[in-house]
Structure formats: C-alpha cells, structure tokens
Amino acid sequence: MNLNNFKIKFIFIVKFFFLTRGGVFRKAYLFQIAGIYIGALIISLTFSIMTGLEQEIFNKIKDFNYKYMINKNSTELNSYGFANNKGKKSLVRCELDNYDFLINVISYTEFDTFVNDKIKNHLFDDDVIYNDSSIIIGESLSEKYNISIGDTILLSDIVNINVVTGNYISEKFIVANIFKFKFLNFDYENVFINENDNSFLKAEDYNIYFDKDYRNNIDSNQYEIDEVIESGNKYSSLISSIQFEKKLYVLLGILTIIISSVMMFNNTLMVLLEKRRQFSLLNNIGVGLNKMLFAILLLNIILSLCLAVFGILTTFFIEKLNYQFNIIDYLFMYSPFDNIPMNLSSNQCITTLLLIIILTAISTILSIYNIKHRLEEG
C-alpha cells in the first residue's frame, strides 16, 4: 500500500513539474533536453577521438623510436652495456632511375632486433630475411617514386667523399620491405638499413639507443644528464597541441551544458512560480514543500543523468560504426591514419556523468533557493 502511494505521489510530481496547467508537455524542456544530450555527446566524442589520436601517435612514436638516445664515438661504446641497440643516422643522397633526392638513413647494428621488437606490426611483409644490402622504405616514398619490394636504390654518403676521385661513397640497397607511418612525413623522409661497420656512413658517430630509465644506468660522475636525448621531446609540441584542442572541444561541450543548466534554472523557477498556489494542495496529499523541492532536484538529476548516458551510448555506437564503416574518416579527410582511432575509457565516461550531474544539481538548487526566498518574503 505504501508503495502504491509512493508511485501516485511520484507520478503527480512528474506531471506537476513537466506539464502546463492545460496538461500539455512544456516545450521549453525540449531545448534543455537537447542541450544536455548534445553537450554530453560533444564531450564524450571529444574524449574518444582525441584520446584515440593521442594514443595512436604515442604508440607510433614508441614503435619507431627508442625512448632515449646518446650520441658517442666508437671508442666509448663499451661503456653502455645497457643499450638496446646502436647505429647511425645521416642525410644521404638517393638515386633511383631519373630521380635524385635527399633522405634520412637510420642504421642499426641489431637490425633484426629493431624490426622484430619495434616496427614489425607496421610492415607490409612479415616474413622477410634481411641482410647487409636490405633497406626498408616508407609507404609514401614508395608511392611517390613507384618503388616496389625488390627494386634497387643507390645511396650516396654526402659527408663521406673519396679524396682521390672526388665522388661520394655509394652503396646499392635492395628494397626488402615497406613500413607504414604516414605521419609528419616520417615514411617519406626516413629509411632503415643494417649497420655493418663498413665504409658507408663512416663519418658519423654512433647513436646508443635504449628504453630503460637512463638515471638508473648512467654514472652521473662520468656523463652529464643533458647528453641524453628523449625521442618524445621531438613531438612534445604536437602532443601539446592535441591536448589543447581536446580541452577546447571539451570546453565547448561544457558551455553547451552550462547553457542547458541556465535553461533548467529558468524552467524550474518558472514552474515553481507558476504553481506556487498549488503547494497547499500538495500538502493535503502528504507532499510537503521540502519533499516536493527535493523531488524536483532528484527529477532534474535523473533526467540529466539519462540524457548523459544516452549521449555516451551514442558515442559508443559511433565508435562501432566507425570501426565497421570509417564514418569519422570523412570528417578528417587529410588524416595520416588509415582509420581514425577512437577510445572512450570508463574514467572519461564517469567524468562526463559527474560533470553533468554537478551542473544540473547547482542550477536546480539555485532555482529552489530562489523560490523559497520569494515564498518567505510573501
């Protein structure tokens, strides 16, 4: 019996709050409902896309670079037993048919280790045996100059000149594989070869590469900390710009929700002012003013929570559609990725829900405080 009474009272309050005197749904709530839903959708979509992009970029950088690097000459190499790899990097001249251009060559003494531990998932062909004449080029370079696996490329070391002939030291390499990294022209400007300590790239010092925390491995009395170069530093401005853009879109979503909260404040205040003469009727059925105001607060929070959940579920639905049909790719026509990554985490869902609940509660409490103040005055 008490449960039935509770249902009757709850339905009465809902009708009291959402319907006009003529029993018609208040159209003003449509803008409030749409605003909260759109705000939740903007925030959750922003979290999903920007976080996905940030993680994808971070993973690409991690896969194609060791975390730390030190540049040293060959006499000091034995001091770095903790190194994951060693090699060189130099700008060389590339000749292919009628093409002649400059390109960065990155070499590794443990070439197979680099391929298997780092870039294996980004290669066209998984089953390749590499030798001293092998070279791995980028997809963009391959497409621009129509280079295929098995083609021969001539590389000339422009800083290593034969003093007798005046010609550059050159070597021929066979394209053994092609990697995918369409980002910041990386796969257009860089190629990978095996470092075999021959005359090619002889003028360059070695780079020592490692992923472990250098502060636990480098003797601070022997080497300065500022000798260590972190690969992530080259891309810090890019990561910062993505994070800034994410905050900007989240702010847009918050602004939309704030506008909806202001509308909620006005709607709640309008309802309470319009129907304040009916408060005595509510008292007669056992619903006091404080209970009614608390019910209104609860209704607003539940409504906003449902709309926020609906916005988040829409984002998950868009993620599924994007995975199947790449619909988000049409919004990012010049994206360097094959598919726009999307990743909405549970923490971001909770953050979105809490944000909307807090703004809803504040706007409703302010309207309740306003009407109680007016009732006390007269």
Side-chain angles (χ1 to χ4, degrees), residues 61 65 69 89 184 186 229-238:
I61 294 171
N65 297 272
M69 182 190 79
K89 181 176 181 179
L184 295 178
F186 187 91
I229 301 172
E230 296 190 31
S231 60
N233 291 342
K234 296 185 294 184
Y235 306 96
S236 58
S237 59
L238 173 67

Side-chain angles (χ1 to χ4, degrees), residues 75-298:
T75 59
E76 298 176 285
L77 291 182
N78 294 331
S79 302
Y80 295 90
F82 59 87
N84 295 103
N85 219 323
K86 302 167 188 175
K88 299 175 180 179
K89 181 176 181 179
S90 182
L91 185 67
V92 304
R93 178 183 177 184
C94 180
E95 297 179 54
L96 176 70
D97 296 333
N98 297 323
Y99 299 110
D100 186 349
F101 52 91
L102 297 178
I103 196 167
N104 292 316
V105 170
I106 304 172
S107 67
Y108 290 102
T109 56
E110 301 294 334
F111 191 70
D112 288 336
T113 299
F114 169 73
V115 171
N116 293 325
D117 294 349
K118 288 288 187 178
I119 65 173
K120 185 176 181 179
N121 294 330
H122 306 280
L123 298 174
F124 278 27
D125 194 346
D126 294 333
D127 190 17
V128 176
I129 298 176
Y130 301 97
N131 53 48
D132 292 345
S133 299
S134 299
I135 185 171
I136 301 177
I137 68 171
E139 184 179 8
S140 294
L141 185 67
S142 170
E143 292 175 351
K144 181 170 183 178
Y145 296 107
N146 195 26
I147 307 173
S148 302
I149 293 176
D151 289 349
T152 301
I153 295 177
L154 179 66
L155 298 182
S156 300
D157 188 357
I158 59 177
V159 297
N160 189 6
I161 302 177
N162 188 315
V163 294
V164 178
T165 62
N167 296 325
Y168 301 127
I169 301 297
S170 301
E171 281 194 22
K172 290 183 178 181
F173 294 87
I174 299 175
V175 178
N177 217 328
I178 298 174
F179 68 86
K180 302 177 182 179
F181 192 177
K182 287 189 174 182
F183 184 67
L184 295 178
N185 290 329
F186 187 91
D187 67 341
Y188 176 75
E189 298 176 347
N190 298 278
V191 296
F192 300 102
I193 64 172
N194 181 35
E195 172 58 44
N196 56 9
D197 297 313
N198 62 7
S199 59
F200 194 65
L201 303 183
K202 187 176 182 179
E204 298 289 345
D205 286 339
Y206 275 88
N207 296 319
I208 296 89
Y209 303 98
F210 52 100
D211 287 322
K212 295 181 180 179
D213 190 345
Y214 59 86
R215 286 164 293 192
N216 297 328
N217 295 283
I218 298 178
D219 186 353
S220 58
N221 296 324
Q222 185 178 4
Y223 302 108
E224 297 294 332
I225 295 299
D226 57 12
E227 292 179 329
V228 180
I229 301 172
E230 296 190 31
S231 60
N233 291 342
K234 296 185 294 184
Y235 306 96
S236 58
S237 59
L238 173 67
I239 300 297
S240 298
S241 64
I242 292 176
Q243 292 174 343
F244 174 77
E245 190 172 358
K246 179 168 67 174
K247 293 176 182 177
L248 192 64
Y249 285 118
V250 169
L251 183 61
L252 176 62
I254 293 174
L255 183 61
T256 304
I257 295 172
I258 290 175
I259 293 173
S260 301
S261 298
V262 172
M263 295 174 65
M264 181 181 292
F265 169 82
N266 292 331
N267 289 335
T268 304
L269 188 61
M270 181 179 63
V271 171
L272 295 176
L273 288 173
E274 179 184 308
K275 298 190 176 184
R276 58 183 175 179
R277 293 181 181 179
Q278 301 178 19
F279 291 159
S280 58
L281 178 61
L282 292 172
N283 277 320
N284 293 334
I285 64 172
V287 182
L289 177 61
N290 290 332
K291 288 183 179 179
M292 192 269 294
L293 295 178
F294 176 76
I296 290 174
L297 173 63
L298 188 61

